Amino acid sequence: MSAIEQALQRLDPAWLADARFALGPDATAVFAADTREVGSVFQPVTVARDGQVLGHQGRVRVRTAAGVVQAAGWVGLADGVTDAHALSIDRWSRTLHAVNYASAFAAGQRLFLRVQPRLIESVGRGHGRVFEGILARLGIPTRAVVIELPAWPGADPALIERALWSYRSLGYKVACDWPDAAVAPPLSRAGGVVPDVVRIDLRAPCATDAIAERAARAHDAGAQVHVAGIETAADREVARAVDAELLSGWAVGRPQPAGAIAMPAGTRTVGDRLVVEALHA
């Protein structure tokens, strides 16, 4: 029995049957969504200082019945469905990534997982508790998972803070998006809730000085800066100029199935805190 099949067997059978999980053609877990097959790919997140792989961001790969891979990913899956169905897809996707992660990656590697705005809006309290139980069945501690909270126009800051507090209270690490000036993450130390990481995606239009200001505010609050969407040498220079600790993007590493990723020799356990210095202790 493969490691993936063993991981699938550790999930709640009733919940698993509802999700229709199976072993995919590339020997990784997939689940069915209508006529589509949903699988995992993982994009590396590296330490800016030395290029060491800190972890991977789980991303969905959607294949139609005709074998066509859809680039829209989760957005395409959730388009036009009810909130309840969208929440199920969100949780199934994160579980899928966790199953594939559990059997493929070295100890100490972080798993970065995005949650969707509809989840933040629909779940009043207790964010992360159901997923905590799923991770426990797979032998993955919550401290190994970085939950990436989205930002969107009109988002209620109180909802973001509540979700951040809930995830942090359960031991997850939390990253918050900062796409534009109107949707800032909670960075007030007085509020008692500050994300571990602030994520700035260079694919979102933004002036370089504005990126520098956001990075400076994140650092002042005690958060690390993750510059995502790095696709060119110029993007790398932007990340270097703002002293970003974490990097990702196609110029850093392309998304690949779990089995296709070669982990670097000498990968070391990060420990309980998401701090770059721990990698060099």
Side-chain angles (χ1 to χ4, degrees), residues 179 200 202 204-214 238 242:
I200 301 173
L202 297 185
C206 185
T208 302
D209 57 348
I211 294 173
E213 180 183 358
R214 292 173 200 172
V238 169
V242 302

Side-chain angles (χ1 to χ4, degrees), residues 41-57:
V41 289
F42 296 91
Q43 186 162 27
V45 178
T46 67
V47 179
R49 183 161 59 187
D50 60 9
Q52 182 172 327
V53 175
L54 178 66
H56 292 79
Q57 182 186 41

Side-chain angles (χ1 to χ4, degrees), residues 26-209:
D26 60 355
T28 61
V30 299
F31 72 81
D34 302 319
T35 60
R36 292 165 292 184
E37 175 190 278
V38 183
S40 290
V41 289
F42 296 91
Q43 186 162 27
V45 178
T46 67
V47 179
R49 183 161 59 187
D50 60 9
Q52 182 172 327
V53 175
L54 178 66
H56 292 79
Q57 182 186 41
R59 302 176 64 176
V60 297
R61 179 190 60 189
V62 182
R63 190 184 304 275
T64 68
V68 177
V69 176
Q70 297 177 331
W74 195 95
V75 175
L77 285 175
D79 187 32
V81 304
T82 65
D83 282 346
H85 193 184
L87 294 182
S88 294
I89 292 172
D90 180 90
R91 289 178 177 136
W92 292 346
S93 298
R94 281 183 284 120
T95 300
L96 178 75
H97 297 323
V99 166
N100 288 322
Y101 164 88
S103 62
F105 294 113
Q109 290 290 300
R110 300 288 182 181
L111 177 61
F112 291 71
L113 296 175
R114 296 185 68 73
V115 297
Q116 303 303 317
R118 288 161 80 172
L119 180 79
I120 304 301
E121 293 176 326
S122 300
V123 178
R125 296 185 182 277
H127 287 279
R129 191 163 296 282
V130 172
F131 194 49
E132 177 189 30
I134 294 167
L135 291 171
R137 285 177 176 265
L138 296 170
I140 300 174
T142 54
R143 67 176 181 271
V145 177
V146 183
I147 296 294
E148 297 181 330
L149 297 181
W152 65 98
D156 182 352
L159 288 179
I160 302 296
E161 289 194 21
R162 187 182 304 150
L164 171 55
W165 181 89
S166 182
Y167 282 116
R168 286 285 296 276
S169 71
L170 295 173
Y172 297 93
K173 304 306 177 184
V174 180
C176 286
D177 281 351
W178 197 346
D180 58 55
V183 193
L187 292 174
S188 171
R189 290 180 182 273
V193 185
V194 176
D196 299 279
V197 176
V198 170
R199 183 176 180 275
I200 301 173
D201 195 327
L202 297 185
R203 291 169 296 185
C206 185
T208 302
D209 57 348

